[in-house]
Amino acid sequence: MIRQKLWALQSRYAPYFFVSPFIALFSVFMVYPLCRSLVLSLYKAASPRSMKFVGLDNYRFLLRDWAFRGAVINTFYFAIVFMSLQIPLSLALAVALNGRRVYGRMFLRFAFFSSHLVGNVFVAIIFSMMLTPRHGLINKAIGAVFPFIGTETQWTAKPLLAMPAIVMASLWLSVGYGMIYFLAALQGVDRELYDAAEMDGAGRWDRFRHVTLPGLKPVLRFLVLVGLIGAFQLFELPFVLFGQTAGPAGYGSTIVMYLYFMGFDAGDAGFASAVGWVLVLIILLISLLQLRGLRAGRDD
Amino acid sequence: MRRFFYHLALFSLALISLTPFAWLVCATFKSKDDFFAYTFLPWNQPGRWTLSNYRFLFQHYPFAGWLINSVFVSCAQTVIVVTLSSLAGFALAKYEFRFKKSLLIVMLTTMLIPYQVMLPSMQLMMYRLGWINSYAAIILPGAVSVFGIFLFMQAMKLVPDELLHAGRVDGCSEFRLWWEIALPIVRPMIGAYTLLNFMANWNSFLWPQIILQNERKYTLPIGLTNMMSLPEFQTPYGVLMAGTLLSILPVVILFFIMQRDFIAGLASGAVKG
C-alpha cells in the first residue's frame, strides 16, 4: 500500500524533480543577476560597499562620452565588414566543395574548418606574432606578393589598421565554420530541381540564383543572426591582440571592452551595468529586425 | 585541364588556411635567436631545432598546473551542464506540468540577452559569497544553459511515447526512463553538445579573467594572456608559442575522436532551426 503510494508520487512529481536543479541555478545565476544589474545601472559604485543612487545619469553620460561612441562605431564597423566578407566566402567555399567530382573533400573540409577549433584567445596570441612588422609571417607574405607594400606594415600600432587586423583573424577563425553549415544545406537541395532547371535551359548562374539560393535561405538567416550577435560581443581578439588595451588611439576598442575597462579596471559596477544594458538593447533590436525579415520572407 | 586548376586552387587555399598551424608548430622548435630569423624552421640545420621552449615553459611557469586546472574546470562544467540540460529537456519534452509554459517563456527571453550585461552584478555576488578565486564561481553559473535545454528538448521529442509507456508497465521509475531509454536515443546529440560545450569552456576567457586572480588558479587562456603581457624580455616568444600549441592540442584530439557526431550535430541544429 505504502509502496504503491510512493510509486504514484514519484511518477507524479518526476517532472518537477527533473527541472528543479536547473530552476534553482537558473534563478540564482541568471534571473537574479539580470534584475540586479538593471538596478545597479542606476547607481554609481566606487566599491561594493559605497553605492550612490544617480538615476539615469550613467546612461546620460554614455550618450555624451566620446570613448563609448568610438567603441560603438568600431563594433558596428567590425560587424558590417566581417559579415559582408564571411558569408560570401563561406558560401563560395561550400559551393566549390559541393561539386560532383571533387577529390579529397574530407581533407579540404577539415582544412578549412580546423581553425574554428582554436579559441579566440589563442588565435589572438598566434596573430600577434604573425602580424609583427618585418619579421611576421603575414608581413613577409605581403612583401613577397606585393613588393610595393613591403613588410613594414604596423598592424597593431596604426589606428586605421586595427580593425582590419581583427577582421583578418576573425575570418580565419570562422569562414570554415560557415562553410560547414552551407555544405549541409547544399546537400539538402533537391537534385531533381537542378535537372529540371537544366532541361528548361537555365544556365549555371540562373540555376544558382533560382534553385540553390532559395534552398539556402534558412541557413543564411541563421548564420547572419548568430554572426551578428557574436560580432557585437567581440572582446577577446582585440583585447589580447592589443595587449589588454583599447588599441592604437582607442581604434581597437569595442562595446564589451569598454564595459570591461569601466567595470573591472575603473571599478564602477554601476556604470558598467549601464553599458551592458545598451548592448542588450542593440542586440535585441538586431534580433527583432531579423525576425521581422523572417516573417516578411515567409510571405513571398 | 580545368578540373586540374580547380583542384589546384582549392588545395592552395586549404594550404593557406593550414599555414598558421604549421608556422605555430615550427615556432615552438626555434631558439630565441632563430625565432624571427627563419620564417618556419632552419630546415638544413636540424642541429638548431630545440626542445628548450617546452622545458622552459614547464620549469619557469606553473603551466602544468594551468593545464590541470583547465581540464578540471572544463570537465566538471561539461558533466554538470549535460546532465542538468538533458534532465530538464526530458521533462519539458515528455511531460505536462504546471508553469511549463511560463518557464519556457522566461527561458526564451533570457536567450537573446548577452551574458556580458551580468558581469558586474555577478562579480559583486561572487565577492559577497567569497567565491573570488574559486572554481565554483565558474562551474555553477556555467551549468545554466538555456541553449542546451532547448537542444535536448527538441531531440527528446522524437523519443516514442510507446517506448516510455512500455517501460512504465515494466516497472521502470521515471528516472530510469530518462537514463535507460531517452538518453541512449539522443546519444549523437549528446556527443555533439558535449564537444561544443567543452570547447567553449576550454576557451572561455572573460569571466575566468574576472574571477581568477591567483596565478596558481589560472586556466590556460588566462595564464597565457598574462604570460604575453609580461615585458618582452621575460617571456621568450618560442615559449609562448609552445604554451599555445599545448593549449590547442587537447581540443583538436577530442575533435578527431568525436568528429562524426560533431559535424552531424552542428549541421542538423541549423537546418532544423
Side-chain angles (χ1 to χ4, degrees):
Chain A
M1 184 61 192
I2 288 177
R3 254 188 89 116
Q4 251 174 355
K5 230 179 191 169
L6 273 177
W7 195 251
L9 275 180
Q10 74 91 20
S11 79
R12 186 162 163 213
Y13 289 106
Y16 299 101
F17 176 69
F18 290 162
V19 292
S20 56
F22 165 74
I23 290 183
L25 290 174
F26 181 71
S27 321
V28 177
F29 295 118
M30 185 78 106
V31 179
Y32 170 73
L34 269 180
C35 302
R36 179 97 175 88
S37 99
L38 198 57
V39 177
L40 209 55
S41 75
L42 305 176
Y43 282 82
K44 183 168 181 53
S47 82
R49 275 167 221 296
S50 71
M51 301 224 221
K52 209 178 101 207
F53 184 79
V54 292
L56 290 174
D57 273 5
N58 285 332
Y59 294 96
R60 249 176 244 130
F61 181 81
L62 267 180
L63 289 179
R64 276 181 291 120
D65 184 31
W66 62 268
F68 181 67
R69 217 174 289 164
V72 172
I73 292 172
N74 279 339
T75 311
F76 269 89
Y77 170 62
F78 170 81
I80 292 167
V81 174
F82 169 69
M83 290 307 290
S84 49
L85 288 172
Q86 189 227 353
I87 296 287
L89 286 175
S90 298
L91 181 57
L93 271 186
V95 170
L97 251 69
N98 197 47
R100 276 185 208 201
R101 284 178 297 172
V102 176
Y103 292 109
R105 193 181 322 208
M106 282 293 275
F107 166 77
L108 288 169
R109 203 172 64 165
F110 176 72
F112 290 124
F113 177 74
S114 56
S115 50
H116 187 68
L117 298 175
V118 185
N120 279 307
V121 170
F122 306 121
V123 173
I125 296 177
I126 298 172
F127 268 75
S128 75
M129 294 292 134
M130 295 203 308
L131 289 169
T132 314
R134 189 173 310 166
H135 302 298
L137 181 65
I138 291 173
N139 276 323
K140 273 185 182 167
I142 290 174
V145 183
F146 309 105
F148 53 94
I149 299 179
T151 58
E152 302 295 322
T153 314
Q154 308 236 342
W155 289 99
T156 52
K158 283 263 163 28
L160 288 181
L161 292 179
M163 274 299 148
I166 300 296
V167 170
M168 190 158 48
S170 296
L171 284 177
W172 183 63
L173 196 64
S174 47
V175 167
Y177 167 79
M179 176 201 74
I180 295 280
Y181 281 96
F182 280 129
L183 262 178
L186 282 173
Q187 262 139 34
V189 178
D190 199 346
R191 281 269 167 221
E192 280 174 28
L193 283 177
Y194 285 106
D195 296 338
E198 209 168 349
M199 294 250 265
D200 290 347
R204 202 170 258 244
W205 172 247
D206 285 329
R207 266 178 284 156
F208 179 74
R209 262 219 57 187
H210 297 293
V211 181
T212 313
L213 268 188
L216 292 180
K217 247 185 183 171
V219 171
L220 194 66
R221 287 221 182 82
F222 169 81
L223 282 177
V224 170
L225 181 64
V226 171
L228 277 178
I229 290 179
F232 277 96
Q233 299 180 9
L234 179 70
F235 174 77
E236 279 92 346
L237 275 177
F239 184 75
V240 176
L241 193 64
F242 299 123
Q244 316 205 2
T245 70
Y251 274 65
S253 177
T254 67
I255 301 176
V256 179
M257 279 167 84
Y258 183 83
L259 185 157
Y260 179 88
F261 292 136
M262 289 306 165
F264 306 102
D265 281 356
D268 187 343
F271 187 65
S273 297
V275 179
W277 281 101
V278 175
L279 179 68
V280 171
L281 212 67
I282 293 175
I283 287 184
L284 283 183
L285 272 176
I286 291 168
S287 312
L288 273 180
L289 282 177
Q290 271 263 322
L291 286 177
R292 271 187 62 184
L294 212 79
R295 223 163 273 152
R298 287 237 171 96
D299 291 343
D300 60 42
Chain B
M1 209 47 198
R2 257 183 73 186
R3 292 208 24 231
F4 172 75
F5 282 112
Y6 187 75
H7 281 85
L8 187 71
L10 268 181
F11 275 89
S12 326
L13 277 175
L15 217 60
I16 293 176
S17 171
L18 289 175
T19 306
F21 288 114
W23 179 86
L24 175 65
V25 173
C26 294
T28 66
F29 295 117
K30 280 186 287 191
S31 69
K32 207 172 179 179
D33 300 330
D34 292 347
F35 192 83
F36 282 129
Y38 296 89
T39 311
F40 288 96
L41 270 175
W43 296 111
N44 44 7
Q45 297 163 272
R48 303 183 73 135
W49 306 0
T50 168
L51 284 173
S52 63
N53 291 324
Y54 290 95
R55 223 171 296 133
F56 196 91
L57 181 68
F58 282 97
Q59 278 168 359
H60 296 261
Y61 296 95
F63 187 81
W66 298 343
L67 192 69
I68 294 170
N69 297 343
S70 266
V71 170
F72 170 71
V73 172
S74 302
C75 288
Q77 189 267 351
T78 303
V79 169
I80 297 178
V81 82
V82 171
T83 312
L84 291 191
S85 304
S86 63
L87 261 179
F90 181 56
L92 288 168
K94 286 294 160 191
Y95 295 88
E96 286 307 320
F97 54 92
R98 267 211 281 177
F99 309 122
K100 181 169 150 180
K101 268 243 169 69
S102 6
L103 179 63
L104 282 173
I105 291 172
V106 176
M107 281 164 60
L108 258 178
T109 329
T110 60
M111 232 175 133
L112 282 175
I113 295 182
Y115 75 95
Q116 289 93 342
V117 70
M118 297 187 294
L119 292 174
S121 53
M122 284 274 265
Q123 193 217 21
L124 283 187
M125 181 166 138
M126 295 310 166
Y127 179 84
R128 291 252 165 77
L129 288 171
W131 282 7
I132 299 290
N133 262 325
S134 139
Y135 294 137
I138 298 172
I139 294 171
L140 287 181
V144 180
S145 169
V146 173
F147 170 73
I149 290 183
F150 278 118
L151 268 185
F152 275 102
M153 190 173 94
Q154 285 315 109
M156 285 184 169
K157 276 186 178 155
L158 302 176
V159 175
D161 285 325
E162 296 78 39
L163 221 53
L164 297 175
H165 190 68
R168 275 187 199 112
V169 171
D170 287 347
C172 277
S173 68
E174 306 297 316
F175 188 74
R176 269 181 69 193
L177 293 180
W178 165 73
W179 180 252
E180 285 182 21
I181 297 177
L183 277 189
I185 291 180
V186 299
R187 206 203 64 88
M189 227 279 306
I190 298 179
Y193 180 61
T194 301
L195 185 58
L196 206 68
N197 188 80
F198 183 87
M199 260 171 65
N201 211 267
W202 184 264
N203 295 327
S204 85
F205 175 74
L206 181 47
W207 178 237
Q209 160 90 354
I210 292 167
I211 287 299
L212 304 176
Q213 286 159 9
N214 177 344
E215 199 191 45
R216 304 229 148 261
K217 292 256 173 176
Y218 285 171
T219 53
L220 288 169
I222 321 294
L224 285 177
T225 317
N226 278 284
M227 244 168 98
M228 188 181 157
S229 59
L230 291 175
E232 200 173 317
F233 50 87
Q234 279 188 27
T235 307
Y237 292 144
V239 179
L240 186 62
M241 292 299 109
T244 306
L245 182 62
L246 290 183
S247 307
I248 296 171
L249 226 49
V251 175
V252 175
I253 293 170
L254 207 66
F255 174 77
F256 268 108
I257 297 172
M258 305 174 82
Q259 81 164 304
R260 205 163 278 257
D261 283 350
F262 184 59
I263 291 196
L266 210 85
S268 74
V271 175
K272 274 182 214 139

